[in-house]
């Protein structure tokens, strides 16, 4: 596994789809007008009875607007690629996926991802 869970997810998406811009953090507007994915962690939950940690993460994916049928198709391709990447990791599962608008004219989705790992914080 990479340095962090979010980095591992971002690296998997980037490895599976090198044509997309993938960042392991939530950022301001993308630097270039290219399909973009951001991955960040929102919450950790300790499960001492199982010596594990549950990570609640968000994955935002977006394509630059304005919204057209071609952009909608591009977004669907991006969504498919990202979900396949998330599902390829044995410790992750996506929970829900909500349509969103970013930066006034970027269309996209925000995906809730749950990851379960060993508790590396326990001595």
């Amino acid at each position: 596994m990479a340095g962090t869970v979010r980095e591992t997810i971002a690296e998997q998406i980037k490895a599976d789809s090198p044509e997309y811009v993938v960042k392991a953090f939530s950022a301001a507007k993308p630097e270039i007008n290219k399909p973009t994915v951001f991955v960040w962690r929102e919450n950790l939950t300790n499960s001492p009875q199982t010596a594990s940690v549950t990570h609640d993460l968000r994955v935002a994916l977006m394509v630059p607007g304005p919204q057209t049928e071609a952009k909608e198709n591009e977004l669907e391709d991006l969504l498919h690629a990202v979900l396949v990447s998330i599902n390829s990791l044995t410790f992750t599962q996506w929970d829900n996926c909500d349509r969103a608008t970013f930066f006034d004219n970027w269309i996209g989705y925000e995906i809730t991802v749950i990851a379960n790992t060993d508790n590396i914080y326990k001595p």
Side-chain angles (χ1 to χ4, degrees):
M1 188 183 313
T4 66
V5 170
R6 69 178 167 74
E7 288 172 326
T8 301
I9 294 169
E11 288 174 10
Q12 184 66 49
I13 295 167
K14 189 179 285 191
D16 292 343
S17 303
E19 67 274 22
Y20 301 132
V21 175
V22 181
K23 304 284 186 183
F25 55 90
S26 177
K29 190 173 181 178
E31 307 95 40
I32 57 174
N33 282 338
K34 192 172 178 183
T36 301
V37 179
F38 296 121
V39 181
W40 70 95
R41 181 170 49 197
E42 291 198 322
N43 186 38
L44 290 171
T45 304
N46 183 21
S47 299
Q49 65 276 19
T50 60
S52 66
V53 174
T54 300
H55 308 255
D56 296 319
L57 301 108
R58 293 285 180 164
V59 177
L61 54 108
M62 60 200 75
V63 298
Q67 190 169 355
T68 63
E69 184 175 358
K71 290 294 182 180
E72 191 70 32
N73 291 339
E74 186 177 18
L75 178 60
E76 290 298 318
D77 291 343
L78 177 59
L79 176 62
H80 177 82
V82 168
L83 291 176
V84 167
S85 292
I86 291 168
N87 283 331
S88 74
L89 296 166
T90 59
F91 63 94
T92 62
Q93 65 181 22
W94 64 275
D95 184 44
N96 63 22
C97 182
D98 296 314
R99 184 65 179 248
T101 301
F102 302 92
F103 317 115
D104 295 327
N105 67 343
W106 287 60
I107 58 173
Y109 287 95
E110 194 168 296
I111 305 168
T112 302
V113 177
I114 299 167
N116 292 296
T117 64
D118 292 335
N119 187 347
I120 62 168
Y121 308 109
K122 189 171 183 160

